[in-house]
Amino acid sequence: MTDAVFDLVVRGGLLVLPQETLEADIGVRDGLIAAIGPGLGRGRREISAEGRLVLPGGIDSHCHMDQQPWEGKATADDFDSGTLSAMCGGTTTVVPFAMQMRGQSLSAIVADYHGRAGPKAHIDYGFHLIVGDPSAEVLRDEIPALIAAGCTSIKIYLTYDGLKLDDYEVLNVLDLARSQGAMVMVHAENDACIRWLTERFVAARKTQLRYHVHAHPDIGDREATFRAISLSELIETPILVSHVAAGGAVEEIRRAKARGLPIYAETCPQYLFLSAEDIDTDDLSGSKCVCTPPPRDKSNQPAIWQGILDGTIEVFSSDHSPWNYVDKIAGGPDTPFHRIPNGIPGIETRLALLFSAGVNGGRLSLQKFADLTSGAPARLFGLSPRKGTISVGADADLAIWDPDRTVTIRNDILHHATDHTPYEGQTVRGWPVMTISRGELVWNDGEILSKAGRGRFIARERPFPPRQDLSKVLSS
Ligand SMILES: [Zn+2]
């Protein structure tokens, strides 16, 4: 076929562009979107998208894979199964975490992580830097070089032994992030509240699963969120509040935004589609839904939806943290709640769950859905304009959806290596049937066409202009 104009043409779909929905073709050359319009010339390969939606491939900016073991135990997914599962769920880019704990070199962790991802990833990836030990050397020597090499975001924790930073350390990290133009994600729970409550519940022999929710109180999220916002304001550095789970945290973020502060926020499927009721089981089956922050009382779900709708929450990611159920229950039926590993899988079901309840449920426009799941994470984490939207010059990362297909989620239709899904039995309408990564059809409705190792590390741009000055604080 010598008269082909494009390597690939995706023909006749309803394209979800940033400002409009348009019935048109997409022409791809060298892995990039070369043209968008009706009646494009021929491609060496053609894919019909008649009757289907064509969305930007999902970007999952919060997922854990092949992280170093936690208390001697490892999670299920490496970069092979983790990125494969993402790809089969319509996601084309993931940003997992290179995790530094106390006493470790962050550069060594990132080098190790490259070795784990490079030969295995099916789709493109970047790394966030979990900074668990912001020593003077790490701040001065390691992090600026890692940011310059394309890891332009940092995650910090206000709880968890081995990772949590005190407020002084948080200020140091924020100060560095500002001077480097990096994004800082914050796990905002109040550590003392969790420890204090856990000790009391354990002493009172209240160790059933339901106390996991009570030991991680909403009020602790609200306080830690407000504290993170305050430190961010003092040091004039944007932050993104991770996995917003409760209405109180939404209110704090909304108030900060109303004051013009650069505060961003993310939520996850478990805060819309699971609740404390799913954890409250007499046996340990509820541990399939144990993560932190935990899914809250159902009354929080409307507040999270409202946060999404009014722009308080920009990003919808999975927080895929694939603990096997067998490991969650390894301690036997009387395992106390605080000994259950925290984290649930969800990288493959993230998009379909939100599409079904959001788009088909009449809450979200297609544009809003695409922005929550791809556009906003691309902008906030330095992947735009290369990824995040269907636009000429961008990578041809696409997900083709059957908006009406009804699917009952079962673990055996998913591609992660985890032994369960917390969404078992939930039925959704709308399903990503094809995934195209840099112009290559990698998932075709049940058929895996990718190879481990084809995914590439994406050196991300700095999301913000670097700023050395602390205008307000130091000029006072
Ligand atoms: Zn996480």
Side-chain angles (χ1 to χ4, degrees):
M1 234 187 278
T2 51
D3 58 341
V5 184
F6 300 104
D7 299 330
L8 168 72
V9 174
V10 177
R11 199 157 303 274
L14 196 59
L15 312 186
V16 179
L17 307 178
Q19 306 300 338
E20 59 178 332
T21 307
L22 179 73
E23 203 171 298
D25 307 330
I26 296 176
V28 176
R29 228 179 270 132
D30 299 325
L32 305 176
I33 295 175
I36 298 169
L40 293 184
R42 277 218 292 165
R44 276 196 294 115
R45 169 144 202 208
E46 302 241 346
I47 291 173
S48 169
E50 294 278 335
R52 304 225 149 131
L53 293 172
V54 183
L55 282 125
I59 295 175
D60 198 336
S61 57
H62 189 156
C63 50
H64 304 265
M65 45 190 80
D66 208 1
Q67 248 173 238
Q68 52 179 315
W70 183 263
E71 296 184 349
K73 288 185 191 142
T75 50
D77 286 308
D78 63 5
F79 276 85
D80 186 346
S81 61
T83 59
L84 182 69
S85 185
M87 175 188 102
C88 298
T91 291
T92 48
T93 306
V94 293
V95 191
F97 297 88
M99 180 174 75
Q100 178 213 28
M101 298 185 70
R102 289 277 165 198
Q104 295 179 329
S105 154
L106 190 52
S107 309
I109 300 283
V110 170
D112 174 69
Y113 220 44
H114 273 293
R116 290 167 188 269
K120 291 190 177 177
H122 290 260
I123 53 173
D124 293 349
Y125 57 93
F127 304 143
H128 302 294
L129 307 171
I130 289 180
V131 177
D133 191 354
S135 66
E137 299 73 44
V138 168
L139 291 172
R140 187 190 59 230
D141 302 333
E142 296 199 314
I143 297 179
L146 293 167
I147 290 172
C151 297
T152 57
S153 47
I154 291 169
K155 168 103 179 270
I156 56 174
Y157 287 81
L158 303 185
T159 184
Y160 286 145
D161 286 338
L163 289 175
K164 70 183 171 209
L165 307 188
D166 65 26
D167 294 354
Y168 182 88
E169 293 172 312
V170 171
L171 290 174
N172 277 339
V173 172
L174 291 175
D175 191 30
L176 177 72
R178 190 195 61 260
S179 74
Q180 297 290 327
M183 175 63 100
V184 179
M185 315 161 75
V186 184
H187 181 121
E189 289 187 283
N190 179 300
D191 183 65
C193 290
I194 297 167
R195 278 191 294 136
W196 194 89
L197 287 166
T198 300
E199 280 169 19
R200 263 124 198 109
F201 285 131
V202 169
R205 297 182 199 282
K206 293 180 168 181
T207 60
Q208 297 95 313
L209 285 179
R210 71 179 68 91
Y211 294 102
H212 171 69
V213 180
H214 300 307
H216 291 256
D218 300 7
I219 215 163
D221 289 15
R222 179 194 276 276
E223 183 282 330
T225 299
F226 177 67
R227 180 157 37 101
I229 289 168
S230 303
L231 300 176
S232 150
E233 182 176 6
L234 178 74
I235 215 91
E236 299 171 23
T237 304
I239 58 167
L240 182 140
V241 182
S242 293
H243 41 51
V244 173
V250 176
E251 280 174 23
E252 294 305 329
I253 295 159
R254 187 180 288 124
R255 271 192 327 144
K257 286 187 142 136
R259 293 171 53 227
L261 298 176
I263 306 297
Y264 304 96
E266 162 206 86
T267 193
C268 313
Q270 46 270 39
Y271 309 117
L272 292 176
F273 307 113
L274 300 175
S275 76
E277 286 174 23
D278 296 300
I279 296 177
D280 187 4
T281 52
D282 290 331
D283 60 8
L284 282 185
S285 60
S287 69
K288 291 175 182 172
C289 303
V290 165
C291 54
T292 58
R296 307 287 186 184
D297 188 90
K298 269 205 171 118
S299 64
N300 286 280
Q301 291 174 353
I304 303 290
W305 276 114
Q306 186 53 39
I308 289 173
L309 291 173
D310 68 18
T312 303
I313 296 170
E314 289 89 356
V315 175
F316 187 81
S317 56
S318 70
D319 198 1
H320 180 78
S321 186
W323 286 101
N324 275 322
Y325 182 52
V326 292
D327 289 322
K328 290 196 175 223
I329 62 171
D334 296 323
T335 306
F337 70 86
H338 66 295
R339 304 304 307 160
I340 305 274
N342 285 318
I344 61 173
I347 204 165
E348 191 166 347
T349 45
R350 167 183 77 117
L351 295 172
L353 284 165
L354 187 69
F355 189 95
S356 183
V359 177
N360 278 332
R363 293 177 171 101
L364 301 177
S365 68
L366 286 163
Q367 274 68 34
K368 181 79 173 172
F369 173 82
D371 202 58
L372 284 160
T373 56
S374 186
R379 290 193 301 278
L380 293 171
F381 293 109
L383 287 160
S384 338
R386 181 169 176 185
K387 296 187 183 291
T389 55
I390 297 177
S391 51
V392 172
D395 283 356
D397 286 359
L398 307 167
I400 301 179
W401 285 69
D402 179 342
D404 294 313
R405 184 177 298 184
T406 297
V407 174
T408 298
I409 296 171
R410 304 209 177 285
N411 201 48
D412 59 15
I413 66 168
L414 303 179
H415 300 81
H416 58 200
T418 321
D419 63 1
H420 73 285
T421 166
Y423 305 103
E424 185 80 25
Q426 289 203 27
T427 296
V428 294
R429 187 159 70 89
W431 196 256
V433 291
M434 291 184 199
T435 305
I436 294 169
S437 164
R438 280 183 277 100
E440 202 180 316
L441 181 65
V442 287
W443 165 246
N444 185 15
D445 206 359
E447 198 184 351
I448 292 163
L449 301 169
S450 71
K451 270 205 201 78
R454 68 164 294 287
R456 290 185 195 152
F457 174 75
I458 306 293
R460 291 175 290 126
E461 305 289 328
R462 296 166 201 253
F464 307 107
R467 281 179 45 225
Q468 300 303 325
D469 59 306
L470 253 183
S471 51
K472 273 187 250 157
V473 176
L474 296 183
S475 64
S476 55

